[in-house]
Each structure stands twice: as C-alpha cells, then as structure tokens.
Amino acid sequence: MDTPSFPLPGLRVLLADAGQRRSPVIRLELIRLRCQLVDVLDLVAEPDALALTLARQAPELLLIDCEQPTPALLAQLSEAQARQPRPVLLVAEQMSPAQMRAALQAGVSALQLAGLPPQRLGALLQLALARFEHDQALHAELRHTQTQLAERKLVERARGILMREQGLDEEAAFQRLRQLAMTGGQTLASVASRLIDADQLLRPRQ
C-alpha cells in the first residue's frame, strides 16, 4: 500500500536538536524540499524549552534529533501534544524497545534510528504526516463511537423513565422521545438528558 503524498513545500518545521551536529545538513535538505524552518531549538542549552517553543512558533511538524530520547524530553513532548497535536519525526542514534513504545505514546508519529540520511528526509516527513493523519482519524472515530454509546445509554434510561411513569411499552416510549425531539428541534440525546434530569429532581431522595 502506497503512503499518501502530502505537499512539503511551505511546511513549517521546528527542529529540536540535542547536539547531534546534523542541523546544517538537515537545514540544507529542508531548503531543498522547500520546507520552512521556523526555528532550531538547542535541547542541550535549553532542555526544558520544548513546550514553550512549540507554543510560540506553532510549527506544522516537529523534528527531534537526539542520541536517544530522555524521559524528561518525552514528558515535555507528551504535554505539548496533549495541548496541540502535530506530526513528530524523531531521529535517534539508538533506542530500546521500551523507549520506542514510550516515544510513540508521547506522540511521535515516525521514528528513524541510526542517523538520518539526507536523501531520506523527504520520505520520513511524508511518513510522519501520513501517520499523524491516520492516528487523528482513529481518535476522531473513537470519540464519535464513545459519544454514540453515551447517547444511546441516555436514550435507554429516558425510555425506561417513560415506561415506568406513563405505562408505555418500549416502542411507544421511544416514539414519544422522538416526538419530543422533533417538536423541540432537539436531538434524542438532548431530550433524553433533560428528561433524566427532571426525573432526578422530582423523585424523592432515598
């Protein structure tokens, strides 16, 4: 299966460099790819500045170049990704399987071990962008499914209230909810939630 193609020209990239001395080569390749290098963060001189720099520069992609990701670096990345997710390409000289798992959990989209051949940078950026889009779509689908499940539970509770209070069967109670929703121009879940709240207010406390 081919990796989807994403336009690289104009892509805003922040390079976080942990002293691997590859910044000049990476800069030249980013220029060749017509990406926009918004800043180079020296992680050795400013080890705690990642989240602040990301917030200030707002890059479309973060490229981290390090010997191996430290727990402190991954903690900063996780915090930043929770605030504003973005594709992350991590280049490391070495990583254990546990570090790889931790990096992916922190929000890294693509990994490159044992250095960075300049000619591979374009493909790796494409991979990070594609992986990020895929993950975001999965998260959105999961949130949608969770919302649907929560709304279904609300409707079931509200239907049970109508069955109990008005002596309706399941189908009649559901149709009553639909009628209330249509009349008020609301969703079934909204009507169900209001009905549940009213029932809790009116029922005597145990």
Side-chain angles (χ1 to χ4, degrees):
M1 183 177 179
D2 294 335
T3 300
S5 179
F6 294 85
L8 296 181
L11 180 70
R12 291 170 48 82
V13 178
L14 170 67
L15 172 59
D17 178 23
Q20 298 311 298
R21 300 180 181 177
R22 279 189 287 258
S23 288
V25 175
I26 293 174
R27 289 187 193 203
L28 288 175
E29 189 61 17
L30 288 173
I31 291 172
R32 190 187 72 80
L33 294 168
R34 291 187 291 163
C35 296
Q36 180 183 352
L37 183 60
V38 298
D39 200 357
V40 178
L41 171 63
D42 187 342
L43 290 173
V44 176
E46 300 180 273
D48 302 319
L50 180 60
L52 180 61
T53 305
L54 285 170
R56 183 176 66 246
Q57 298 291 354
E60 295 173 286
L61 182 143
L62 169 64
L63 197 167
I64 301 174
D65 186 18
C66 61
E67 174 70 22
Q68 55 183 329
T70 63
L73 174 60
L74 293 181
Q76 287 187 74
L77 177 60
S78 180
E79 177 185 347
Q81 290 291 82
R83 293 179 180 176
Q84 178 60 58
R86 58 175 52 83
V88 179
L89 170 58
L90 174 63
V91 180
E93 291 298 326
Q94 57 184 336
M95 290 181 70
S96 67
Q99 286 175 316
M100 291 182 190
R101 288 192 294 271
L104 293 173
Q105 290 172 354
V108 170
S109 308
L111 296 167
Q112 168 66 26
L113 296 182
L116 176 61
Q119 66 274 16
R120 290 207 60 204
L121 181 58
L124 289 168
L125 293 174
Q126 292 275 0
L127 177 60
L129 290 166
R131 186 65 191 179
F132 177 76
E133 183 181 80
H134 175 72
D135 289 345
Q136 290 298 105
L138 288 179
H139 289 319
E141 183 178 350
L142 176 60
R143 288 192 298 269
H144 178 66
T145 301
Q146 290 174 333
T147 298
Q148 283 188 318
L149 180 60
E151 290 179 348
R152 189 175 304 165
K153 289 181 178 179
L154 285 175
V155 171
E156 289 298 316
R157 285 185 61 188
R159 185 167 67 174
I161 292 171
L162 289 175
M163 291 171 64
R164 183 190 72 231
E165 297 297 328
Q166 298 185 12
L168 303 175
D169 60 25
E170 289 187 5
E171 180 60 25
F174 181 72
Q175 292 302 325
R176 177 59 177 156
L177 282 174
R178 287 190 60 188
Q179 181 184 17
L180 290 170
M182 292 176 61
T183 301
Q186 303 177 64
T187 64
L188 271 174
S190 296
V191 170
S193 180
R194 291 168 65 91
L195 183 60
I196 292 168
D197 289 343
D199 181 67
Q200 291 176 340
L201 286 173
L202 293 174
R203 292 183 66 186
R205 295 184 180 181
Q206 300 296 327

